[in-house]
Amino acid sequence: MSTEEKLTQKYKSKLGKLFVGNSLELLTNDKKLRKLKGKVNLIITSPPFPLNNKKQYGNEKGEEYKEWFIKLAPIFSDLLADDGSLVIEIGNAWEPERPVQSLLHLECLLGMVKHPKADLRLIQEFICYNPSKLPSPAQWVTVNRLRTVDSYTHVWWIAKNDFPKADNSKVLRPYSKSMEQLLKRQSYNSGKRPSEHQISETGFLKDNGGSISHNFFEMEALDEKRDVRLPHSVLSFSNTNSNDYFLKTCREKGIIPHPARMSGGLVNFFIQFLTDEGDLVLDPFSGSNTTGYCAEKSNRKWISFEIKEDYIKQAIIRFSDPELKSPLK
């Protein structure tokens, strides 16, 4: 960052602030932002993916990407509170001009958690399945017909210690229809299972308000005969709903939305799961600022950064959404 560059705030809401600029340079060098050290409860972000083609939102490639990604580790570690969490969504990468999946994303993960100055560890991996994703890599899927559609992203939950703040009772899934029936009749086939688990006679008879979430996000139904059982906090935000306020307003204004928006459902799941009201959430690569929107709606403080002015304008559109007048409880 040049010595003349200043921290520039582009938007301020009741609970958060959106800044323009290179977040990594600003977080490292700006005196005001240094005060955030050890105070961020959740960093959640979808950094530019390591794609072979340059995208308009900016992305490095190959070894340059890995070097850039690993440098994030000590910066993020310094920002996190002792019980804070880092959540990163990242897609798969492919070898240039080859129908071979790259190991780059795995090398990035290993580099981050093994960084000697960060002391980070992988708490759990999640998979986010998106059946609406366009076929990619196009050359090998739709042209040569050699590979299947790459339809999921990795979500890494990382922290500074083994026990970051978390409460899975805040992100319960609705019960399945069979479980609802079991609770009504108050009986089931107990006893020893082939897996050698011993199921007690009363172990599944208590209504806990829902079942514990899985680490697989099925954003749309895999089977039309059964319901998608995402937590209510996830169902509150659809990334594919063409009638949602943000996309509708972008269409009306002739604006092309950010092409790699993070799922609001995904963001909200981790905000509810890993933070409490009043906690601080940060997104260093916020794009159209889904993170800030979800944090505001969930009564969390937030700070977001975006380097491109066009996407900041889109982020401000989000905050004119009338839904923000009705925060989640």
Side-chain angles (χ1 to χ4, degrees):
M1 184 176 73
S2 70
T3 55
E4 295 181 358
E5 186 175 351
K6 295 181 180 179
L7 182 67
T8 304
Q9 178 181 298
K10 300 298 288 190
Y11 181 82
K12 181 179 180 180
S13 70
K14 179 182 177 181
L15 296 173
K17 297 176 181 179
L18 172 61
F19 297 102
V20 63
N22 185 316
S23 59
L24 304 185
E25 293 184 0
L26 289 169
L27 288 166
T28 301
N29 299 312
D30 187 86
K31 291 181 179 179
K32 291 181 180 179
L33 293 178
R34 286 180 199 162
K35 295 178 181 179
L36 294 174
K37 183 177 180 179
K39 296 181 179 179
V40 178
N41 303 102
L42 173 63
I43 300 173
I44 181 165
T45 194
S46 181
F49 290 176
L51 304 174
N52 289 324
N53 297 321
K54 199 76 174 177
K55 299 294 184 180
Q56 62 183 18
Y57 51 82
N59 57 288
E60 300 293 339
K61 297 186 292 182
E63 288 299 313
E64 292 83 4
Y65 184 91
K66 183 170 74 171
E67 181 180 347
W68 171 83
F69 190 95
I70 292 173
K71 285 181 180 179
L72 303 176
I75 298 173
F76 289 170
S77 181
D78 283 346
L79 288 167
L80 286 176
D82 289 340
D83 64 350
S85 291
L86 165 63
V87 174
I88 297 176
E89 181 190 23
I90 191 167
N92 292 307
W94 292 76
E95 294 291 346
E97 300 181 4
R98 298 173 62 199
V100 176
Q101 192 164 331
S102 170
L103 300 179
L104 181 59
H105 65 292
L106 298 177
E107 293 172 358
C108 288
L109 173 62
L110 289 172
M112 175 167 280
V113 298
K114 290 182 176 294
H115 197 293
K117 296 182 180 179
D119 192 28
L120 297 170
R121 73 284 327 265
L122 178 65
I123 301 298
Q124 190 171 17
E125 181 176 23
F126 294 73
I127 296 298
C128 186
Y129 166 66
N130 179 8
S132 299
K133 190 174 181 182
L134 294 174
S136 66
Q139 180 65 40
W140 310 120
V141 176
T142 59
V143 179
N144 296 92
R145 301 277 181 163
L146 297 175
R147 298 293 179 264
T148 58
V149 177
D150 188 1
S151 59
Y152 71 91
T153 56
H154 306 264
V155 182
W156 298 326
W157 174 19
I158 297 168
K160 293 166 69 172
N161 65 67
D162 295 359
F163 298 96
K165 181 195 296 187
D167 183 352
N168 66 26
S169 69
K170 294 197 276 186
V171 285
L172 296 176
R173 301 192 305 167
Y175 283 128
S176 65
K177 292 179 180 178
S178 60
M179 185 62 185
E180 290 176 347
Q181 293 170 357
L182 183 154
L183 290 171
K184 286 182 180 179
R185 68 174 181 264
Q186 287 292 291
S187 66
Y188 62 97
N189 182 24
S190 59
K192 196 170 185 177
R193 298 291 190 263
S195 62
E196 299 189 1
H197 285 87
Q198 185 70 36
I199 308 299
S200 71
E201 294 182 1
T202 60
F204 290 99
L205 299 183
K206 182 181 178 181
D207 188 343
N208 293 301
S211 62
I212 297 171
S213 289
H214 292 196
N215 66 336
F216 178 82
F217 293 99
E218 180 190 343
M219 303 309 285
E220 294 181 21
L222 286 168
D223 182 352
E224 62 181 14
K225 295 181 180 179
R226 66 178 178 83
D227 296 330
V228 176
R229 291 196 298 122
L230 291 168
H232 294 298
S233 59
V234 174
L235 291 173
S236 299
F237 294 84
S238 171
N239 202 41
T240 58
N241 183 357
S242 61
N243 294 317
D244 111 317
Y245 177 85
F246 171 71
L247 294 180
K248 180 180 178 182
T249 305
C250 284
R251 284 198 301 269
E252 291 173 350
K253 294 180 178 291
I255 296 171
I256 299 175
H258 192 291
R261 300 182 309 281
M262 200 172 184
S263 163
L266 194 70
V267 174
N268 203 55
F269 175 87
F270 287 104
I271 287 177
Q272 300 295 325
F273 179 30
L274 304 177
T275 68
D276 298 315
E277 288 194 11
D279 279 355
L280 177 59
V281 179
L282 184 144
D283 188 343
F285 313 107
S286 66
S288 59
N289 201 20
T290 302
T291 296
Y293 177 90
C294 292
E296 185 91 13
K297 199 161 173 54
S298 301
N299 201 28
R300 272 69 167 172
K301 293 178 288 186
W302 59 271
I303 294 175
S304 294
F305 297 85
E306 175 51 44
I307 200 167
K308 291 187 174 291
E309 291 276 0
D310 286 348
Y311 297 146
I312 287 176
K313 293 176 182 177
Q314 294 182 26
I316 294 173
I317 288 175
R318 285 196 187 279
F319 280 81
S320 62
D321 188 346
E323 280 290 313
L324 282 178
K325 296 179 181 179
S326 304
L328 292 176
K329 298 297 183 185

